[in-house]
Amino acid sequence: MTACESSDADPPIPVAGDELNDHPIAGQIIGSDPSEMADAAEGVEDEVEPLVDHASAAEPDETVPHVFPALRGGCEQLAGELREFLIESVANTGGHLSAGLGTVELTIALHTVFNTPHDRLVWDIGHQAYPHKILTGRRDAMHTIRRKGGLSGFLSRSESEYDAFGAGHSSTSISAALGMAVANTLQHCERQTVAVIGDGALSAGMAFEALNNAGDIDCDLLVVLNDNEMSISRNRGALHNYLARLLSGSLYTGVRERSKSILSNLPGMKKFLRRWEEHMKGMLMPGTLFEELGFNYIGPIDGHDLPTLVTTLRNLQGLKGPQFLHVVTQKGKGYHPAERDPCNFHGVTPFDRETGEQHKSSTTQTYTQVFGDWLCDMADADPQLAAITPAMCEGSGMVEFSGRFPQRYFDVGIAEQHALTFAAGLACEGIKPVVAIYSTFLQRAYDQLIHDIALQDLDVTLAIDRAGLVGADGATHAGVFDVSFLRCVPNMVVMAPADENECRRMLTTAYRYAGPAAVRYPRGTGPGATIARELESLPIGKAEIRRHGAHVAILAFGSRVAAAVEVGEQLNATVVNMRFVKPLDTEMIVAIAAGHELIVTVEENVLQGGAGAAVDKALLAHGISMQTLNLGIPDRFISQGTHAQQLAECGLDARGIRAAIENRIGHDAACATLAVSPSGASSHG
């Protein structure tokens, strides 16, 4: 069987006249007995109202073409119940909420019109795809989302046949869907392909590359723009302003609709109306950007109007070539706290359903907050500082800075590559840019880091958030490669803080260093160190000994220092806070090697090419032959769970580090080291 042939398991294509509860997707929700649908999420104290059987839905309105008979009563009721279930479910689990609330009607319409999974539905990122998960057989597992062994918070091909493309980063959907559409053409496959992308993701360069390519290829592709004026935070940029102008084209829209209603019943007027509409477009509204790129542009339409959505999608089914449907939605639709503050409800911890108050797990200051405070303090001290974010104002801790220093704050949209080259341009003219970027997103801008910043040795500071494992977001957002791909780049200085205060000092060090420098810090909180408000630097390339011991020396980088100290106390081992990945403190390494039998390196980064590999290389370069043990992220993607669960899985918590050392030297030998000196003196320098 070829890729485009249908198996016996493929659902039948729904046709006008089918009952909606017979649809292969909607039937999973609305075709069951109400009594069997209670307790939709395990562990939820207050049960969600059961999703009811719509077999007795309202009679069809024959004046509405291409609409399932149950749509007007059934689908609209389903939308309300789906939205309520989503709110209740995420309130208990946490996760991404606002975007999904805005796509409830769109999701129902897409699965109603298209024969998924045979037809391919490609969602961008996955923030907006929770309703899709619920509709495609995963409702009863939603209580496991983002938890170890549970549903992914994003799309995953291994999780469901309805997830046509796994995603975790923005602006991939059009490229992937275009590839699928071309494959269908090459294989003579009767399959439709739909890409759903948000207006924030559409601002990324990759999306325009795909649009440019698609408009030049003779294939059937539907791009649905979910325009909610948002990315992670409020959307920015000229494209956003352009879309707003399309939405304000009321003159053209009003004239068109009123004229059609008057003339539509006159004999022989349909052909005239089509010609008239094209003339009106030319007079009142220039051709859209998307039409210039080779797409047939339709819209904008109300993304919460189910009958209109279904009718429009039905009509688009029969069209050939690239189609672009502009759908307007509201992020957070149907839940007042999320409507009021969609940024805060983009990604949430468990929250109170009635009040919207989110449950905070810790009162300790996060590394992101440490960065935000430092940024404002350094901006006060240096008027040359400018801060850049690729669409992560709230997530990067830059809200206060954006309010206090608006002229020096640049939200460039979802544009990681541009962000770095933009910073390079600023640096060329004497401005000191600080780029706040997540570790996993920096991967997208690696070429710009190398060629535009490092090669020219420009004074750019990278504040790299979410470095290391990231818990519930799993492998798609894990920042476990940056040490490896940064340390191999000439001119780079790379630092990893052991605690919150050291993070602040490293940010100052990076900023004052006259060249490219990066500080990579983890998600969430640290050990709770007291933070000094002074803007103090660290000596470049110098480590510190946290504990003196015997036989075994643990060289720890960044977030693993606290765990290493705990193990050091248990095994009477020397513990070194390495601080710098590059330049490496080789003097310290040589000195440690002279007085110990085993060197253990610990890092929250992949082992391949990581900090441990740098230590091994330094030993070889000095002709030192001794036992080493490198601990880090193994050579596989680490699935979601709590951060503690992930660390334990990788053997990077205190228990795992001790077990690895004991396994290397033998349990009896480890016990013997304890007898030598039960406690060691600490040295901080």
Side-chain angles (χ1 to χ4, degrees):
M1 185 168 53
T2 66
C4 73
E5 290 178 332
S6 297
S7 68
D8 293 338
D10 287 334
I13 298 174
V15 295
D18 289 344
E19 291 295 328
L20 188 61
N21 62 306
D22 290 332
H23 186 271
I25 304 300
Q28 297 185 37
I29 288 184
I30 65 178
S32 303
D33 187 289
S35 63
E36 298 175 354
M37 302 181 113
D39 299 321
E42 183 182 319
V44 177
E45 294 181 2
D46 299 318
E47 291 182 357
V48 185
E49 289 294 319
L51 301 170
V52 302
D53 188 343
H54 297 296
S56 60
E59 292 297 316
D61 185 343
E62 299 297 337
T63 64
V64 182
H66 307 296
V67 179
F68 286 97
L71 173 62
R72 294 182 63 83
C75 252
E76 291 173 339
Q77 185 174 348
L78 171 62
E81 293 171 352
L82 177 55
R83 183 169 277 113
E84 286 300 309
F85 176 80
L86 179 62
I87 295 169
E88 192 71 31
S89 176
V90 178
N92 283 275
T93 64
H96 295 98
L97 181 63
S98 293
L101 289 174
T103 60
V104 166
E105 289 83 5
L106 177 61
T107 306
I108 293 172
L110 287 167
H111 281 299
T112 298
V113 173
F114 293 98
N115 179 29
T116 56
H118 179 77
D119 291 337
R120 305 307 197 205
L121 182 56
V122 183
W123 295 91
D124 212 86
I125 308 179
H127 294 158
Q128 57 188 331
Y130 282 26
H132 164 84
K133 286 177 176 280
I134 296 168
L135 284 175
T136 53
R138 288 167 277 183
R139 183 199 62 181
D140 293 334
M142 286 298 291
H143 68 279
T144 71
I145 198 163
R146 295 162 50 95
R147 298 179 181 177
K148 188 174 179 62
L151 295 179
S152 170
F154 303 95
L155 284 304
S156 174
R157 284 170 53 84
S158 62
E159 185 177 290
S160 172
E161 60 180 337
Y162 290 96
D163 293 358
F165 190 75
H169 289 184
S170 77
S171 62
T172 59
S173 60
I174 303 176
S175 297
L178 178 60
M180 295 174 187
V182 170
N184 294 337
T185 301
L186 294 174
Q187 299 178 81
H188 309 289
C189 183
E190 294 295 326
R191 169 183 286 147
Q192 296 186 301
T193 308
V194 183
V196 185
I197 190 168
D199 55 308
L202 193 67
S203 70
M206 184 175 176
F208 278 91
E209 293 172 11
L211 289 171
N212 184 60
N213 189 203
D216 193 47
I217 296 178
D218 184 21
C219 66
D220 301 333
L221 171 67
L222 171 60
V223 175
V224 179
L225 170 61
N226 175 29
D227 183 357
N228 57 24
E229 300 186 318
M230 297 288 293
S231 57
I232 297 174
S233 53
R234 292 289 179 185
N235 203 4
R236 299 286 190 269
L239 179 65
H240 167 69
N241 297 334
Y242 171 75
L243 294 175
R245 289 197 299 273
L246 288 181
L247 296 181
S248 66
S250 57
L251 173 62
Y252 163 65
T253 303
V255 171
R256 177 186 65 183
E257 296 305 321
R258 284 193 294 272
S259 300
K260 281 186 174 181
S261 64
I262 295 170
L263 300 175
S264 59
N265 294 324
L266 297 179
M269 292 304 295
K270 287 187 176 179
K271 184 176 180 181
F272 169 78
L273 281 172
R274 285 195 295 268
R275 293 177 61 187
W276 172 86
E277 185 174 352
E278 292 304 313
H279 286 294
M280 287 297 295
K281 276 186 172 181
M283 289 187 292
L284 299 177
M285 187 172 74
T288 71
L289 168 66
F290 310 107
E291 287 173 336
E292 297 298 325
L293 287 170
F295 283 78
N296 177 36
Y297 174 84
I298 303 96
I301 66 172
D302 184 355
H304 302 296
D305 183 341
L306 256 172
T308 299
L309 279 171
V310 172
T311 300
T312 305
L313 290 169
R314 279 288 186 202
N315 291 334
L316 287 171
Q317 270 189 307
L319 299 180
K320 296 294 186 181
Q323 311 294 322
F324 193 100
L325 175 61
H326 187 175
V327 174
V328 182
T329 64
Q330 180 182 6
K331 197 169 183 178
K333 176 71 172 180
Y335 184 52
H336 181 66
E339 290 181 352
R340 185 178 63 247
D341 189 1
C343 297
N344 190 41
F345 280 83
H346 169 75
V348 295
T349 60
F351 62 92
D352 185 285
R353 169 70 172 82
E354 298 303 318
T355 65
E357 182 180 355
Q358 297 186 40
H359 304 159
K360 302 298 183 183
S361 58
S362 174
T363 58
T364 307
Q365 195 172 34
T366 66
Y367 281 100
T368 302
Q369 292 167 331
V370 171
F371 165 74
D373 291 344
W374 169 86
L375 188 64
C376 291
D377 292 345
M378 185 58 77
D380 276 330
D382 187 356
Q384 294 302 105
L385 182 149
I388 304 165
T389 173
M392 294 176 292
C393 179
E394 290 80 8
S396 294
M398 299 175 72
V399 174
E400 182 179 353
F401 178 89
S402 66
R404 289 178 56 188
F405 307 96
Q407 299 302 312
R408 292 192 271 163
Y409 168 71
F410 300 94
D411 183 339
V412 299
I414 298 179
E416 297 90 352
Q417 294 169 308
H418 165 65
L420 264 68
T421 304
F422 175 58
L426 289 171
C428 285
E429 301 300 330
I431 298 296
K432 290 180 68 67
V434 178
V435 181
I437 191 166
Y438 293 2
S439 173
T440 186
F441 300 151
L442 180 59
Q443 294 162 195
R444 287 191 154 190
Y446 190 45
D447 179 77
Q448 287 67 35
L449 172 70
I450 295 172
H451 292 101
D452 299 339
I453 294 176
L455 181 63
Q456 303 184 86
D457 201 19
L458 292 174
D459 189 358
V460 176
T461 298
L462 299 177
I464 305 175
D465 204 336
R466 274 66 164 177
L469 298 165
V470 291
D473 282 340
T476 62
H477 283 55
V480 297
F481 305 107
D482 55 75
V483 167
S484 299
F485 70 67
L486 287 173
R487 62 170 283 260
C488 65
V489 179
N491 295 333
M492 285 297 304
V493 170
V494 184
M495 291 168 268
D499 55 48
E500 299 89 337
N501 188 56
E502 193 166 82
C503 183
R504 182 178 171 94
R505 295 183 70 185
M506 285 183 175
L507 288 165
T508 302
T509 305
Y511 184 79
R512 290 174 175 168
Y513 175 73
V519 181
R520 51 112 58 183
Y521 46 91
R523 186 178 203 170
T525 59
T530 302
I531 300 174
R533 302 301 299 181
E534 296 80 12
L535 294 170
E536 295 181 344
S537 301
L538 293 170
I540 298 288
K542 295 298 180 182
E544 66 160 354
I545 297 178
R546 286 286 180 102
R547 185 187 189 281
H548 289 281
H551 304 294
V552 176
I554 306 173
L555 278 53
F557 293 83
S559 66
R560 298 297 84 212
V561 171
V565 170
E566 182 179 341
V567 175
E569 294 290 340
Q570 297 169 358
L571 299 181
N572 187 30
T574 296
V575 180
V576 181
N577 172 21
M578 292 301 294
R579 285 179 167 169
F580 290 81
V581 176
K582 186 178 183 179
L584 203 61
D585 191 342
T586 54
E587 291 184 8
M588 175 71 75
I589 294 170
V590 170
I592 290 293
H596 297 79
E597 300 166 14
L598 172 67
I599 286 181
V600 182
T601 64
V602 188
E603 61 190 301
E604 199 170 340
N605 186 82
V606 294
L607 283 168
Q608 285 77 0
V615 171
D616 292 347
K617 182 181 177 182
L619 290 170
L620 288 173
H622 285 81
I624 300 171
S625 178
M626 66 175 302
Q627 288 194 73
T628 60
L629 173 62
N630 301 137
L631 303 179
I633 309 297
D635 189 24
R636 56 183 172 85
F637 292 106
I638 307 302
S639 48
Q640 68 204 32
T642 66
H643 188 224
Q645 287 172 332
Q646 291 179 320
L647 288 172
E649 180 182 340
C650 298
L652 293 177
D653 59 351
R655 177 179 294 183
I657 296 169
R658 174 169 179 166
I661 295 172
E662 289 179 340
N663 185 62
R664 171 60 63 90
I665 66 177
H667 179 73
D668 292 340
C671 292
T673 64
L674 282 170
V676 174
S677 175
S679 62
S682 298
S683 174
H684 300 273

